[in-house]
Amino acid sequence: QEHLAHWRSQAKRELVMLFPSTAAFGLLLSGTPHPPLAVRVRPTMSLDPADWKLLSRRDQVDGALTLAAAEAGTEAQVVTVTIPRSDDAPSLGLLLDEIATSGDAGIVAVEGLVEGGNGEKATAPLLPGDALVAAAEEGKPTTGVSLEGLPFDSVVERLSSLSSAVGVVVSVKRLVRKPRATVTVRFPEAEGREDARMTLYQGANLRRAMLSSGVALNDPLARRFDAGVGTGDCGGEGTCCTCAVEVAKGLDALSEPSSQEVQMVAKRFPRWRLACKATLGPIEQDEEIVLKVQPRNWDGFYRDDEVDVDGEPLARDGKR
Ligand code: FES
């Protein structure tokens, strides 16, 4: 208990001494250079509790909580580092902050590193905003303790149960900004409609995203390939082509088409995709995509002599 009380008061004291203001916080960061991060991994370094949500999973009988990103534009990635320590230097060298607490639940995050402390010698940099989720003695995974979703006192108590004579393997959840695509949706000239814009994240389905943004996809000139005659929306089965879009920009940012989709559209129109089958990604950086919906209805698509099943010209007067 004495050790625990000392640890906690020491952590708070260091917090007060080293972070009297945001300016001081910035100085400490600039004094601890980190290796450059890959484009895809852009940590938010936020200490705002609103950026997190705590989930209770039905399959967790012990009521354990899981930390997850609150916003669609960020995701929580697990980062595991080893912090060396010994009897001579038993401190973790981390400045911790309880950024949220409610009853038995809480979020404890790294606010900074003690200058010259063990935290600075971790096998990979720990960053402000990293939320503690687990710890174990180095080389002894059976000593592991969960720190996820716990308030400050519980985190400190569990950390204190680990031997201070050996290194500690610490896992944190780090919020990183997800790469995204800015999508511009263009409509046939005859509709005289303003472009629509959407922001999509990896894995988003084009058809679902457009429908939820109010973009109608029901191309009246499309037909089910398995129905012979007549039109119809297959509801995302990949059989009607009513959702076909021309990808004027950003084709490589979309998933690979299946062989069926290639047969249906891409073989004849290499820049077309079935929106119901196309998803965003994988992408490593932000992308820009331009879609033309109902590509058959754009001026100049049909020749003068092309007719529909009723023998009516497909090209609109004066727009052939
Ligand atoms: S909705 Fe029918 S092919 Fe996409």
Side-chain angles (χ1 to χ4, degrees):
Q1 282 302 319
E2 203 175 299
H3 177 61
L4 180 64
H6 172 73
W7 199 96
R8 182 168 188 182
S9 70
Q10 184 69 15
K12 295 232 159 187
R13 193 157 59 82
E14 285 168 341
L15 206 77
V16 172
M17 285 171 59
L18 286 170
F19 298 111
S21 68
T22 309
F25 187 53
L27 279 176
L28 180 65
L29 276 180
S30 62
T32 52
H34 299 308
L37 294 152
V39 175
R40 175 157 163 57
V41 182
R42 288 168 62 180
T44 63
M45 295 203 281
S46 166
L47 286 160
D48 185 349
D51 291 339
W52 293 98
K53 61 184 173 189
L54 275 170
L55 307 172
S56 69
R57 288 183 12 213
R58 286 197 187 144
D59 55 338
Q60 287 276 20
V61 284
D62 59 358
L65 298 169
T66 300
L67 262 177
E71 301 290 333
T74 58
E75 63 186 347
Q77 292 187 348
V78 176
V79 176
T80 299
V81 305
T82 300
I83 300 174
R85 62 177 181 171
S86 62
D87 280 335
D88 292 340
S91 170
L92 286 175
L94 301 180
L95 301 172
L96 302 178
D97 185 18
E98 184 180 61
I99 61 174
T101 182
S102 174
D104 291 339
I107 303 173
V108 175
V110 174
E111 190 167 21
L113 306 177
V114 177
E115 207 167 348
N118 287 330
E120 287 191 345
K121 299 172 193 141
T123 47
L126 286 170
L127 303 179
D130 287 350
L132 271 60
V133 294
E137 292 173 17
E138 187 177 11
K140 291 188 189 168
T142 53
T143 61
V145 290
S146 172
L147 309 174
E148 191 160 11
L150 295 177
F152 190 87
D153 286 349
S154 303
V155 167
V156 171
E157 192 173 343
R158 292 189 181 194
L159 283 174
S160 301
S161 71
L162 304 175
S163 167
S164 58
V166 294
V168 186
V169 179
V170 176
S171 292
V172 297
K173 281 190 176 172
R174 177 174 296 163
L175 285 179
V176 296
R177 180 185 179 278
K178 286 197 238 174
R180 59 206 63 198
T182 306
V183 182
T184 302
V185 182
R186 299 206 165 125
F187 301 91
E189 301 91 331
E191 290 193 24
R193 196 171 155 185
E194 290 272 304
D195 294 348
R197 292 185 206 285
M198 310 182 294
T199 299
L200 300 186
Y201 303 104
Q202 187 154 299
N205 174 272
L206 285 192
R207 179 175 180 268
R208 278 199 291 274
M210 284 194 278
L211 290 177
S212 58
S213 296
V215 175
L217 287 167
N218 198 8
D219 182 348
L221 299 176
R223 286 171 182 74
R224 291 183 67 113
F225 83 88
D226 59 351
V229 294
T231 61
D233 182 344
C234 74
E237 285 177 19
T239 55
C240 71
C241 275
T242 56
C243 66
V245 292
E246 181 181 332
V247 187
K249 184 176 182 186
L251 191 61
D252 291 344
L254 299 176
S255 56
E256 286 289 319
S258 67
S259 52
Q260 176 176 313
E261 189 184 334
V262 170
Q263 287 298 323
M264 285 175 66
V265 289
K267 202 168 162 189
R268 191 164 163 217
F269 305 110
R271 300 200 70 86
W272 284 27
R273 291 300 309 266
L274 293 179
C276 67
K277 294 297 170 192
T279 55
L280 178 65
I283 55 173
E284 295 293 321
Q285 58 193 22
D286 290 355
E287 300 281 352
E288 217 178 304
I289 293 175
V290 178
L291 303 177
K292 292 166 77 174
V293 297
Q294 301 183 18
R296 295 175 191 79
N297 290 335
W298 284 68
D299 292 349
F301 180 77
Y302 287 110
R303 298 189 315 270
D304 289 0
D305 57 350
E306 289 183 282
V307 294
D308 67 13
V309 287
D310 300 320
E312 295 295 322
L314 284 163
R316 292 182 297 111
D317 286 347
K319 299 289 184 186
R320 299 171 184 197

